[in-house]
Amino acid sequence: MKTELPEELCSDEAVCFIADRHHVTPQQLLRHFLCGEVPTNAAAPVRAAIPLEPNEIEILKGLSELVKESKLTNIKAI
């Protein structure tokens, strides 16, 4: 099952930078981070896991929380 990822998170400059650094797409990075999915077409060393650094984890946590809060705000406003 594929998880739908927010477009604003996939296109975020920091997400794109971290993904590029690990030779995966932003979608693969986010699926790994949010759902624990491992990219199947990633470079061999990355295949087992994406070795995120502590600062990268914090950046992704912060961005994903902002997106969640934004979606909740938008839902409440409807």
Side-chain angles (χ1 to χ4, degrees):
M1 181 176 98
K2 293 280 183 184
T3 306
E4 189 174 323
L5 299 168
E7 182 58 38
E8 63 266 29
L9 196 53
C10 292
S11 62
D12 184 87
E13 189 176 327
V15 172
C16 292
F17 177 80
I18 295 168
D20 186 55
R21 204 175 156 282
H22 292 283
H23 310 288
V24 295
T25 66
Q27 292 80 3
Q28 289 171 325
L29 174 70
L30 292 169
R31 283 194 185 96
H32 170 74
F33 179 74
L34 298 170
C35 310
E37 293 179 24
V38 177
T40 54
N41 62 344
V46 181
R47 203 168 267 159
I50 300 173
L52 296 172
E53 294 182 6
N55 65 320
E56 293 172 332
I57 293 170
E58 289 304 313
I59 290 167
L60 293 173
K61 276 184 187 176
L63 289 171
S64 59
E65 286 301 316
L66 285 174
V67 169
K68 285 179 193 172
E69 289 174 14
S70 171
K71 288 202 178 297
L72 288 175
T73 304
N74 290 339
I75 289 170
K76 290 177 184 175
I78 295 177

